[in-house]
Amino acid sequence: AALEVIKVADLLLLVSPVTGAGTGADAEAGDDDDMVTGTSGGAGTTSVGDVEASAEVASTLQVLRAQGLPPALCALQGLEHVPHKKRAAVRHAATAAVQRALQLPADRVKAVPADSRAEQLELVRQVAEQRGVQPRW
């Protein structure tokens, strides 16, 4: 079913939790290792948080990538709990994690906050204004 849906999709919307593990002195010291996004994975692996994807999910993602994925929009929940100085770095890390997991070019992935009502309305506006593009084969 995922193979048929992705053929006609104009946008892939991902919702990822963001948690700030260090909110005390470590957060003020600038230690970037205390921020965790829900999507991660290295080369050849697909994982969300600490959970590895099953073989079926990994093979489905491989077929979806071969078919061509639409642009991805990653909605980050919990970004309001991250210190202001680190929000840009966390957004960049989330974008990079989605790029690695889905093997999409940088211009086809965008991360936006989705905590407050205004941010959620902005997310809906971006989804509604998304223009359909031909998939890159």
Side-chain angles (χ1 to χ4, degrees), residues 109-132:
V109 178
K110 185 176 181 184
V112 295
D115 290 322
S116 69
R117 180 160 172 78
E119 291 170 343
Q120 292 169 354
L121 289 173
E122 176 67 18
L123 175 66
V124 170
R125 184 189 65 78
Q126 288 186 12
V127 169
E129 290 181 355
Q130 182 68 32
R131 300 280 185 236

Side-chain angles (χ1 to χ4, degrees), residues 33-103:
D33 294 335
D34 59 356
M35 296 298 146
V36 179
T37 59
T39 306
S40 64
T45 64
T46 304
S47 64
V48 177
D50 296 330
V51 180
E52 283 290 322
S54 67
E56 293 84 14
V57 170
S59 66
T60 302
L61 275 176
Q62 187 176 18
V63 172
L64 290 175
R65 281 187 221 111
Q67 243 180 250
L69 289 170
L73 183 63
C74 185
L76 302 175
Q77 292 184 328
L79 200 59
E80 65 187 5
H81 302 296
V82 176
H84 285 295
K85 293 180 181 179
K86 293 187 179 185
R87 287 185 185 180
V90 170
R91 286 176 66 176
H92 179 69
T95 303
V98 171
Q99 281 179 259
R100 278 192 313 272
L102 299 179
Q103 297 176 355

Side-chain angles (χ1 to χ4, degrees), residues 22-32 34 83 85-86:
T23 55
D26 290 339
E28 296 300 322
D31 183 14
D32 288 336
D34 59 356
K85 293 180 181 179
K86 293 187 179 185

